[in-house]
């Protein structure tokens, strides 16, 4: 430990020739310069301030940490710890028993000042943060841009970009920030995890999506943010649906409705619940869910979701789910009617706002309805635009739905029907092309 005031003398001597605004370094200026040096060399924030410098000068603390001593040496331009009053003794410490003495005025003052310094140090630590509001705003803007680009840009590069954003949020959360900023960081991390989960489903790994979604749910809980909770549940429904676990999918959708405010999330989750229940064979509850979804659609004037892409639901997207639900319930004509209206809604939407992924899936519901009705000509015509999907947008759910069309055609069409044979042949060619593209990627 330095003798009281030894650092003060060293500071005064070492800064005799260094002028800051025409005067020697103050304690505050020394602390700020040391913190600046620490940030440049370690990229970490330290709670070193004028109060701590004062405590060192009074000899109220032991030898500062290696980082603090290195910073002080650098700022003061000295070569060794001894030059600033520190002589590190590596010998084993000698423990002595100090008997209490009657408090003197100086002792009382030192105790009071030491306690005040400790409170000031806590204040400096509590106010310190490794992230600012602008950084968090930028992270939320980035996840919005990713969601807007989804199914418009190639998926794998977008996945890597989303993962980088998630990793940045994780790194920042391992540091120190105010509780409100932590909640905002958890929200940013949760949205990025939810995007990763959705992409994992589309890339054929709904099991991996479940891991991302569980972590996203934790982030939603830490952020205490219902919109994120609702869309995490919607994503978990999707992962379960594409693993044919309709009961689990329905449970996720139903739970998500507890957090969905009136609007887009409610519309999607109620529509998804109807499809899950219809596929699970629960007709009564499926119809109840359809009614809730249609009521929600009447209340949705304009989607104002935090994210777009897969995390928003228009009446067209909901209509696709209604059509699929009716098809599962055996109401082919009603399914076709909803699908036709949904496609018309997509086609009337400006390209910048158009969800091409949902549109392709809706066209496949149309195709399935036409095949079930035995109208193979209409099925072939409707299928055409879907088979023109660019390779980078041939996500697993799309391939799954196309395979469903092939199975239904094989079961219902006449074996020698030339149109049915053309439809099945074009599907087989599409599947072969997709496999070749995947193998060469």
């Amino acid at each position: 430990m330095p003798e009281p005031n030894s650092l003060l003398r060293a500071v005064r001597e070492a800064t005799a020739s260094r002028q800051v605004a025409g005067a020697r370094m103050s304690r505050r200026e020394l602390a700020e310069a040391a913190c600046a040096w620490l940030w440049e060399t370690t990229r970490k924030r330290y709670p070193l301030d004028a109060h701590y410098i004062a405590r060192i000068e009074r000899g109220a603390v032991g030898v500062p940490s290696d980082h603090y001593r290195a910073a002080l040496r650098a700022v003061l331009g000295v070569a060794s710890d001894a030059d600033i009053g520190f002589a590190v003794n590596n010998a084993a410490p000698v423990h002595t028993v100090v008997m209490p003495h009657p408090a003197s005025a100086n002792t009382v003052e030192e105790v009071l000042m030491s306690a005040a310094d400790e409170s000031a140090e806590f204040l400096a630590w509590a106010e310190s943060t490794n992230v600012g509001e602008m950084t968090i705003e930028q992270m939320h803007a980035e996840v919005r841009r990713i969601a807007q680009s989804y199914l418009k840009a190639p998926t794998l590069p977008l996945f890597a970009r989303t993962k980088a954003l998630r990793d940045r949020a994780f790194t920042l959360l391992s540091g120190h920030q105010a509780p409100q900023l932590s909640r905002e960081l958890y929200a940013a991390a949760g949205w990025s995890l939810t995007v990763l989960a959705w992409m994992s489903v589309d890339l054929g790994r709904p099991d991996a999506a479940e891991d991302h979604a569980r972590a996203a749910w934790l982030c939603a809980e830490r952020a205490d943010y219902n919109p994120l909770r609702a869309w995490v549940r919607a994503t978990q429904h999707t992962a379960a649906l594409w693993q044919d676990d309709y009961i689990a999918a329905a449970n996720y959708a139903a739970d998500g409705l507890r957090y969905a405010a009136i609007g887009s999330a409610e519309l999607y989750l109620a529509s998804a619940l109807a499809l899950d229940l219809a596929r699970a064979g629960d007709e009564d509850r499926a119809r109840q869910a359809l009614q809730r979804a249609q009521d929600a659609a009447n209340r949705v004037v304009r989607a104002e979701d935090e994210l777009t892409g897969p995390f928003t639901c228009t009446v067209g997207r909901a209509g696709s789910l209604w059509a699929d639900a009716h098809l599962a319930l055996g109401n082919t004509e009603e399914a076709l009617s909803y699908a036709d209206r949904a496609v018309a809604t997509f086609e009337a939407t400006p390209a910048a706002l158009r969800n091409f992924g949902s549109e392709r899936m809706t066209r496949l519901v149309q195709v399935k309805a036409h095949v079930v009705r035995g109208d193979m000509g209409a099925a072939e015509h409707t299928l055409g635009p879907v088979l023109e999907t660019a390779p980078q947008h041939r996500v697993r759910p799309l391939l799954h739905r196309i395979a469903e069309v092939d199975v239904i055609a094989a079961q219902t069409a006449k074996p020698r029907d030339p149109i049915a044979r053309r439809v099945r042949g074009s599907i087989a060619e599409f599947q072969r092309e997709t496999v070749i593209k995947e193998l060469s990627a």
Side-chain angles (χ1 to χ4, degrees):
M1 179 185 297
E3 296 178 5
N5 295 322
S6 61
L7 177 61
L8 177 60
R9 289 195 301 272
V11 169
R12 294 297 178 257
E13 293 169 3
T15 59
S17 61
R18 296 185 60 179
Q19 300 294 313
V20 178
R24 292 171 181 163
M25 268 190 173
S26 66
R27 290 170 179 165
R28 178 180 61 80
E29 291 162 344
L30 175 60
E32 289 175 352
C35 286
W37 185 88
L38 286 166
W39 171 252
E40 289 297 324
T41 56
T42 69
R43 309 312 290 180
K44 292 183 180 179
R45 303 289 186 190
Y46 288 85
L48 176 61
D49 61 4
H51 296 287
Y52 193 78
I53 297 295
R55 292 189 67 201
I56 296 174
E57 292 176 353
R58 292 199 308 271
V61 297
V63 176
S65 68
D66 292 344
H67 280 124
Y68 282 3
R69 296 200 313 275
L72 290 170
R73 290 196 306 270
V75 171
L76 297 174
V78 297
S80 69
D81 288 341
D83 293 329
I84 50 175
F86 297 117
V88 180
N89 184 2
N90 294 323
V94 177
H95 298 281
T96 60
V97 178
V98 180
M99 299 302 291
H101 294 282
S104 65
N106 287 339
T107 303
V108 170
E109 182 180 356
E110 287 181 5
V111 169
L112 292 174
M113 290 306 298
S114 177
D117 288 341
E118 289 165 357
S119 296
E121 285 179 28
F122 168 78
L123 176 62
W125 175 85
E127 285 188 330
S128 67
T129 180
N130 65 336
V131 64
E133 292 182 359
M134 295 299 291
T135 297
I136 291 175
E137 182 180 332
Q138 188 276 332
M139 294 176 72
H140 282 280
E142 175 69 2
V143 78
R144 282 194 297 272
R145 283 192 291 267
I146 289 170
Q148 290 166 1
S149 301
Y150 190 42
L151 295 183
K152 297 176 183 177
T155 302
L156 277 176
L158 209 57
F159 185 95
R161 185 172 154 194
T162 309
K163 180 179 178 297
L165 180 64
R166 179 208 64 179
D167 293 346
R168 186 181 182 200
F170 284 177
T171 299
L172 290 172
L173 280 167
S174 68
H176 176 254
Q177 57 277 152
Q180 179 55 40
L181 294 179
S182 293
R183 285 192 289 272
E184 292 290 342
L185 274 177
Y186 273 115
W191 281 122
S192 63
L193 284 160
T194 308
V195 175
L196 288 176
W198 202 279
M199 289 180 177
S200 296
V201 172
D202 281 353
L203 292 170
R205 292 304 302 266
D207 54 337
E210 291 175 338
D211 293 333
H212 293 304
R214 277 190 288 270
W217 180 258
L218 173 64
C219 290
E221 291 284 274
R222 294 287 173 85
D224 192 20
Y225 194 44
N226 280 342
L228 179 55
R229 286 187 179 109
W231 283 109
V232 171
R233 287 301 192 225
T235 305
Q236 290 174 307
H237 137 82
T238 304
L241 175 70
W242 291 110
Q243 295 178 87
D244 297 331
D245 190 347
Y246 304 125
I247 299 300
N251 289 337
Y252 281 129
D255 189 62
L257 283 168
R258 297 195 299 127
Y259 306 102
I262 293 173
S264 181
E266 182 194 22
L267 176 58
Y268 179 82
L269 285 162
S271 302
L273 178 60
L275 175 58
D276 298 333
L277 294 170
R279 292 204 165 202
D282 192 339
E283 182 173 349
D284 291 340
R285 292 178 62 210
R287 291 190 179 281
Q288 291 172 9
L290 278 169
Q291 186 59 57
R292 176 171 180 176
Q294 288 160 0
D295 291 342
N298 292 330
R299 294 191 293 267
V300 174
V301 177
R302 181 170 58 90
E304 294 183 349
D305 296 277
E306 187 167 336
L307 271 64
T308 55
F311 307 109
T312 190
C313 188
T314 62
V315 175
R317 187 181 184 189
S320 175
L321 295 169
W322 303 346
D324 216 359
H326 278 291
L327 200 59
L329 293 172
N331 306 320
T332 306
E333 296 300 327
E334 202 162 358
L336 186 57
S337 175
Y338 277 119
D340 288 345
R341 279 181 283 176
V343 168
T345 300
F346 283 122
E347 291 177 337
T349 302
L353 302 175
R354 196 162 164 179
N355 188 329
F356 291 99
S358 292
E359 180 178 339
R360 287 188 282 267
M361 298 296 279
T362 308
R363 289 184 186 276
L364 288 173
V365 178
Q366 283 181 305
V367 174
K368 289 195 294 183
H370 286 310
V371 172
V372 171
R373 293 173 73 242
D375 190 346
M376 295 305 300
E380 183 179 35
H381 175 75
T382 306
L383 182 62
V386 179
L387 297 182
E388 294 173 0
T389 302
Q392 66 268 28
H393 297 317
R394 295 180 185 183
V395 295
R396 290 296 172 186
L398 181 76
L399 300 177
H400 188 96
R401 283 286 183 259
I402 288 176
E404 284 182 354
V405 171
D406 189 47
V407 170
I408 295 172
Q411 293 171 344
T412 61
K414 296 178 181 179
R416 295 186 179 180
D417 183 341
I419 302 178
R421 293 174 68 180
R422 280 203 308 270
V423 166
R424 297 197 64 203
S426 62
I427 289 174
E429 179 60 26
F430 178 86
Q431 291 169 330
R432 280 194 298 271
E433 285 180 2
T434 303
V435 170
I436 292 171
K437 292 290 185 182
E438 289 178 345
L439 291 174
S440 62

